[in-house]
């Protein structure tokens, strides 16, 4: 059985950043990812600028791909009333197809070993040997001193670890398209509809991301996605216009379900959980990717700065709680301001009548530049 210093399970932003940071600083890293780059993911593809300095300083900012700089925010109610404001920090738009592939190449260049098209089935911590045993879908196994769980919102590994959120069903679905349309290039918009909200912002090459969090129950009721979009999303005139007057690039949308916002633990069974595996912030905050990047960095630092396992876990847990616990909680509360007629009107009027209050709420969902 081959032994590695660190095995990272999952190669989204959290896993790729942690792998890059550890390998660049001399650690032996194997990253196991069930898919193969490049590939599309359901994601709004708006990244908060809090990560920009870090990415630039590590030569990981994807300037050559041409991200779109986003500085303004538009919110519409289900009836179509609208409010605009400047974003206090802003962000950039880039597709995950391009960004994850770019970071994969950067990680490979600093020595990270990748095992793609491979799924981890089970992780066990051997307390006597103080090492992990990792079982793969292909029947073989590895051992490691450290394991980072970067497997996203929901994974087979969560099931084998019997994590508590796996016992709850989620009422949400996520749907993503890439489109060509006429929309302001520097604005991210959130359009309300009954039971959910839909974001739009430009990514690279003049393409726009159109992504929504909708209701599983409505999908069941209307039978299929086009019918649900027609009957539910099109009630908002802005969305009707976007759906009817845009060129849709994908043959069919990317769709996911089981999107669970319940609190999770940042360390479980001695595995440092990073990105969504430690907790998913509600998408309207546009912050999950920044959190994934930041947690990847913090987990790598905890391993690099401490020798003792309990000191690593203590440092990572303390940093995770400090930076993210409140943000995830605020995100769950702010989601109440979306997805129904009355509250969506209230949210629009909040921005119109008290931009200061709206900015304060927005500030609480994102972190400081790091
Ligand atoms: C509808 C929606 C819209 C969103 N919009 C935005 C937005 O605009 N801005 C923003 O910042 N955030 C947004 N988010 C959140 C953001 O997408 C996530 O927070 C982010 O992708 C988390 O990155 P990650 O690395 O933790 O996980 P992921 O990117 O999900 O990566 C996890 C990886 O692990 C792999 N994997 C899983 N299980 C295994 C296994 N057993 N073995 C091997 N590999 C495995 C998967 O294949 C995957 O590649 C949105 C989320 C949703 C649902």
């Amino acid at each position: 059985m081959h032994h590695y210093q660190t095995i990272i399970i999952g190669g989204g932003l959290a896993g790729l950043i942690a792998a890059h940071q550890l390998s660049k600083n001399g650690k032996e890293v194997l990253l196991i990812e069930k898919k193969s780059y490049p590939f599309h993911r359901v994601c709004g593809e708006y990244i908060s600028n809090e990560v920009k300095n870090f990415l630039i300083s590590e030569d990981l900012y994807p300037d050559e791909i041409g991200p779109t700089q986003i500085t303004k925010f538009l919110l519409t109610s289900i009836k179509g009333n609208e409010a605009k404001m400047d974003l206090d920090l802003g962000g950039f738009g880039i597709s995950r197809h391009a960004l994850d592939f770019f970071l994969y190449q950067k990680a490979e260049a600093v020595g990270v070993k990748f095992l793609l098209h491979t799924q981890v089935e089970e992780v066990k911590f051997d307390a006597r040997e103080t090492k992990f045993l990792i079982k793969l879908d292909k029947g073989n196994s590895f051992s490691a001193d450290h394991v980072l769980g970067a497997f996203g919102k929901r994974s087979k590994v969560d099931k084998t670890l019997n994590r508590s959120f796996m016992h709850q069903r989620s009422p949400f679905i996520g749907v993503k398209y890439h489109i060509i349309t006429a929309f302001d290039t520097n604005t991210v918009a959130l359009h309300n509809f009954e039971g959910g909200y839909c974001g739009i912002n430009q990514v690279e090459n003049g393409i726009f991301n159109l992504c929504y969090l909708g209701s599983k129950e409505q999908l069941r009721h209307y039978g299929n996605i086009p019918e649900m979009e027609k009957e539910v999303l099109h009630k908002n005139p802005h969305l009707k216009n976007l759906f009817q007057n845009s060129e849709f690039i994908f043959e069919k949308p990317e769709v996911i379900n089981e999107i669970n916002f319940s609190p999770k633990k940042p360390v479980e069974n001695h595995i440092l959980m990073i990105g969504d595996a430690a907790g998913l912030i509600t998408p309207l905050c546009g912050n999950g990717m920044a959190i994934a990047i930041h947690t990847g960095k913090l987990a790598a630092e905890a391993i690099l700065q401490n020798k003792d396992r309990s000191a690593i876990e203590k440092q990572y847990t303390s940093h995770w709680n400090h930076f993210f616990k409140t943000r995830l909680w605020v995100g769950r509360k702010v989601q109440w301001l979306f997805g129904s007629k009355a509250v969506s009107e209230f949210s629009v009027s909040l921005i119109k009548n008290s931009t200061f209050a709206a900015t304060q709420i927005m500030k609480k969902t994102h972190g400081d530049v790091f």
Side-chain angles (χ1 to χ4, degrees):
M1 190 191 300
H2 197 95
H3 182 82
Y4 288 89
Q5 278 181 340
T6 307
I7 289 186
I8 299 179
I9 308 169
L13 297 179
L16 289 167
I17 292 294
H20 178 275
Q21 296 290 287
L22 286 166
S23 190
K24 194 189 128 182
N25 287 290
K27 297 281 178 195
E28 182 196 34
V29 181
L30 174 72
L31 191 154
I32 306 171
E33 164 56 52
K34 71 177 177 193
K35 295 190 179 168
S36 180
Y37 306 97
F39 59 94
H40 288 288
R41 295 175 193 275
V42 172
C43 181
E45 302 181 330
Y46 163 88
I47 310 191
S48 162
N49 270 342
E50 70 197 70
V51 300
K52 202 168 170 181
N53 281 0
F54 165 71
L55 294 180
I56 291 171
S57 69
E58 294 295 316
D59 191 29
L60 296 175
Y61 183 71
D63 212 12
E64 66 208 51
I65 300 169
T68 301
Q69 302 307 313
I70 298 169
T71 54
K72 289 179 273 176
F73 176 59
L74 167 72
L75 180 69
T76 74
S77 67
I78 296 178
K79 281 203 276 187
N81 291 323
E82 57 178 70
K84 290 178 194 152
M85 65 189 277
D86 287 336
L87 289 164
D88 64 318
L89 191 55
F92 54 95
I94 184 165
S95 73
R96 295 294 300 270
H97 190 270
L99 178 61
D100 291 31
F101 187 46
F102 171 83
L103 293 175
Y104 157 67
Q105 289 168 317
K106 290 280 185 185
E108 217 175 24
V110 293
V112 176
K113 292 196 181 72
F114 281 87
L115 201 53
L116 303 178
H117 275 311
T118 307
Q119 185 164 196
V120 172
E121 296 269 334
E122 196 180 32
V123 186
K124 276 190 178 151
F125 183 70
D126 182 336
R128 263 193 18 205
E129 301 271 331
T130 66
K131 66 179 185 184
F132 291 91
L133 298 174
I134 294 113
K135 215 168 108 194
L136 307 182
D137 55 352
K138 295 177 177 137
N140 51 335
S141 299
F142 293 124
S143 62
D145 297 329
H146 302 289
V147 168
L148 300 189
F151 33 72
K153 302 173 250 314
R154 193 182 174 90
S155 159
K156 209 162 200 173
V157 183
D158 291 314
K159 202 169 170 197
T160 57
L161 289 172
N162 197 21
R163 298 183 82 192
S164 53
F165 71 90
M166 291 296 279
H167 303 292
Q168 301 153 7
R169 302 313 301 265
S170 152
F172 301 111
I173 53 162
V175 180
K176 173 180 118 172
Y177 300 92
H178 275 176
I179 61 173
I180 297 181
T181 196
F183 186 71
D184 182 36
T185 53
N186 305 119
T187 296
V188 55
L190 275 182
H191 300 294
N192 275 279
F193 59 85
E194 197 67 50
Y197 48 88
C198 178
I200 176 168
N201 57 266
Q202 187 175 275
V203 289
E204 68 275 11
N205 298 330
I207 292 169
F208 283 83
N209 170 301
L210 186 70
C211 183
Y212 63 85
L213 188 76
S215 142
K216 205 186 322 179
E217 183 47 43
Q218 276 173 351
L219 178 58
R220 200 174 295 133
H221 179 79
Y222 290 105
N224 58 56
I225 285 181
E227 197 57 25
M228 177 188 70
E229 286 170 352
K230 201 169 114 228
E231 294 300 329
V232 182
L233 278 75
H234 291 198
K235 295 259 159 48
N236 180 327
H238 297 271
L239 284 175
K240 187 175 183 182
N241 178 42
L242 278 169
F243 273 88
Q244 291 186 341
N245 297 305
S246 303
E247 181 190 333
F248 282 70
I249 297 173
F250 297 162
E251 252 176 48
K252 52 186 175 65
E254 294 286 320
V255 183
I256 52 167
N257 54 22
E258 294 305 335
I259 305 163
N260 196 316
F261 302 110
S262 308
K264 301 175 184 174
K265 289 186 188 152
V267 179
E268 263 190 69
N269 200 26
H270 302 285
I271 303 170
L272 304 189
M273 301 293 180
I274 55 178
D276 288 355
L280 170 63
I281 190 164
T282 49
L284 61 95
C285 302
N287 245 259
M289 288 194 277
I291 293 177
I293 290 170
H294 200 168
T295 52
K297 173 181 182 277
L298 292 173
E301 281 169 359
I303 291 174
L304 292 166
Q305 290 167 6
N306 299 282
K307 282 210 165 65
D308 177 44
R309 187 181 303 286
S310 69
I312 293 173
E313 292 177 15
K314 202 170 154 204
Q315 175 171 323
Y316 180 65
T317 305
S318 143
H319 284 171
W320 194 92
N321 286 334
H322 172 74
F323 287 112
F324 311 114
K325 203 173 179 179
T326 309
R327 279 163 76 179
L328 267 66
W329 181 86
V330 173
R332 285 193 289 274
K333 301 294 164 214
V334 174
Q335 188 149 264
W336 290 351
L337 297 173
F338 286 74
S340 92
K341 270 197 187 109
V343 290
S344 71
E345 287 302 333
F346 169 76
S347 315
V348 167
S349 70
L350 179 74
I351 293 180
K352 273 186 170 160
N353 301 322
S354 178
T355 311
F356 176 76
T359 307
Q360 294 312 305
I361 295 173
M362 197 177 267
K363 273 191 175 150
K364 289 220 178 315
T365 64
H366 67 68
D368 294 329
V369 171
F370 61 90

